[in-house]
Amino acid sequence: MEQAQDFLDESEALYAVLADVRGDGWDQVTQFKGWTLNDVMVHLHFWNQMADLSLQDEDAFAAKVGAVMGGIAKQGFRATENAMVSERGEQLREAWRSLYTDMGVRWADLDPKRRVKWAGPDMSVRSSMTARQMETWAHGQEVFDILGAERHEMDRIKNIVVLGVNTFAWSYKVNGRKVPEVMPYMTLVAPSGAIWTFGEPNDNEINGSAVEFAQVMAQTRNVTDTELKLDGPIAVEWMSIAQCFAGGVETPPTQGMRHRVAN
């Protein structure tokens, strides 16, 4: 399953930029909701654990996800996740790496269509891996940004682009809006220079960088901070509310909020 290798590679890219973080550096506050680097690592490691638990023991997963959702309702996401993961700093970074490396190898041999439980609807293991890659890439953005590191994107971003395309209707539904009958036609340029197209030609079009499209889908950039070209009212509306991840409605960052910090 190619997505397992993509998840592993995405995680390794993030690990590399975190390799020199030490001590108080883990308490640096990112541009994402006041999360620290420790918070980012707790979040990624915990939900990697949950994804793997859903594969290995459905009953244990169901019990734990029930406890997690109850905790979130009472204490919120950060307090609940932080209580579920004891490691911090370098110890957490290495525990996270140990698990994602193991998952990347084991999950590669699974039937991509095998179904697993999740906090929301059941999903295929291919979708579960894509979701883990997306989370790693999306939350990795605030890490690269706050550390002032340049990110070298690869064509594995296509998994996240496709996830964004597939959640077109979801972006409208979660915002309580009527889903348009037509999706914009997309012509996107991959990091390699390849051209990816999605949909059928119509009066609504989105043209530009596949990476910037994925950034808008994952809400790591405001669309006005990209060079995406939007034509047609549906293209403009979708890019203002796009959300490729599950959960409640989330508001995209305001213009200029998310950016790479200068060294």
Side-chain angles (χ1 to χ4, degrees), residues 165-176:
V165 172
N166 289 343
T167 52
F168 170 71
W170 163 250
S171 294
Y172 280 84
K173 290 176 181 177
V174 74
N175 279 277

Side-chain angles (χ1 to χ4, degrees), residues 33 35 39 42-43 46-47 64-85 88 250:
K33 298 184 178 181
W35 285 22
D39 289 331
V42 165
H43 179 74
F46 176 70
W47 290 103
K64 191 164 186 177
V65 81
V68 170
M69 293 307 165
I72 290 172
K74 294 179 180 178
Q75 305 172 24
F77 272 93
R78 293 273 37 80
T80 300
E81 291 177 359
N82 284 333
M84 294 281 182
V85 176
R88 294 293 184 273
E250 294 285 350

Side-chain angles (χ1 to χ4, degrees), residues 130 184 196 210 225 229 234 251:
T130 298
W196 299 332
D225 293 319
K229 182 181 178 182
I234 298 174
T251 303

Side-chain angles (χ1 to χ4, degrees), residues 17 41 44 46 97 99 104 142 170 178 180 194 200 212 222 227 232 250 253:
V17 80
M41 288 293 96
L44 293 179
F46 176 70
R97 190 186 198 193
L99 178 59
E142 60 245 32
W170 163 250
K178 181 180 178 181
E200 299 296 332
E212 290 187 334
N222 185 288
E227 295 182 2
E250 294 285 350

Side-chain angles (χ1 to χ4, degrees), residues 21-214:
V21 179
R22 297 285 187 275
D24 294 342
W26 293 101
D27 295 321
Q28 289 183 77
V29 177
T30 73
Q31 298 165 358
F32 179 73
K33 298 184 178 181
W35 285 22
T36 65
L37 294 184
N38 261 324
D39 289 331
V40 174
M41 288 293 96
V42 165
H43 179 74
L44 293 179
H45 186 48
F46 176 70
W47 290 103
N48 284 352
Q49 289 178 327
M50 291 295 282
D52 204 41
L53 184 60
S54 73
L55 177 73
Q56 299 193 52
D57 191 331
E58 286 189 2
D59 292 339
F61 172 80
K64 191 164 186 177
V65 81
V68 170
M69 293 307 165
I72 290 172
K74 294 179 180 178
Q75 305 172 24
F77 272 93
R78 293 273 37 80
T80 300
E81 291 177 359
N82 284 333
M84 294 281 182
V85 176
S86 60
E87 300 95 339
R88 294 293 184 273
E90 293 95 313
Q91 185 183 19
L92 172 57
R93 180 186 61 203
E94 297 310 314
W96 166 66
R97 190 186 198 193
S98 178
L99 178 59
Y100 76 63
T101 301
D102 181 46
M103 288 176 66
V105 173
R106 282 189 292 105
W107 283 59
D109 292 331
L110 298 175
D111 177 357
K113 296 181 180 179
R114 176 177 169 178
R115 305 298 293 181
V116 288
K117 301 291 184 182
W118 195 237
D122 295 359
M123 65 175 76
S124 68
V125 294
R126 179 191 282 117
S127 293
S128 183
M129 274 286 94
T130 298
R132 299 321 309 146
Q133 181 197 352
M134 183 275 292
E135 282 269 292
T136 303
W137 180 82
H139 285 290
Q141 188 68 63
E142 60 245 32
V143 175
F144 277 86
D145 286 345
I146 201 65
L147 296 179
E150 183 178 358
R151 196 172 200 171
H152 299 287
E153 301 286 3
M154 306 293 287
D155 278 9
R156 62 177 177 266
I157 194 75
K158 189 173 186 178
N159 294 324
I160 302 168
V161 170
V162 171
L163 183 61
V165 172
N166 289 343
T167 52
F168 170 71
W170 163 250
S171 294
Y172 280 84
K173 290 176 181 177
V174 74
N175 279 277
R177 303 190 189 189
K178 181 180 178 181
V179 180
E181 295 183 1
V182 61
M183 182 177 69
Y185 179 62
M186 286 150 277
T187 303
L188 304 173
V189 182
S192 66
I195 303 299
W196 299 332
T197 61
F198 302 90
E200 299 296 332
N202 62 81
D203 292 336
N204 290 271
E205 293 188 5
I206 298 172
N207 295 278
S209 162
V211 170
E212 290 187 334
F213 176 83

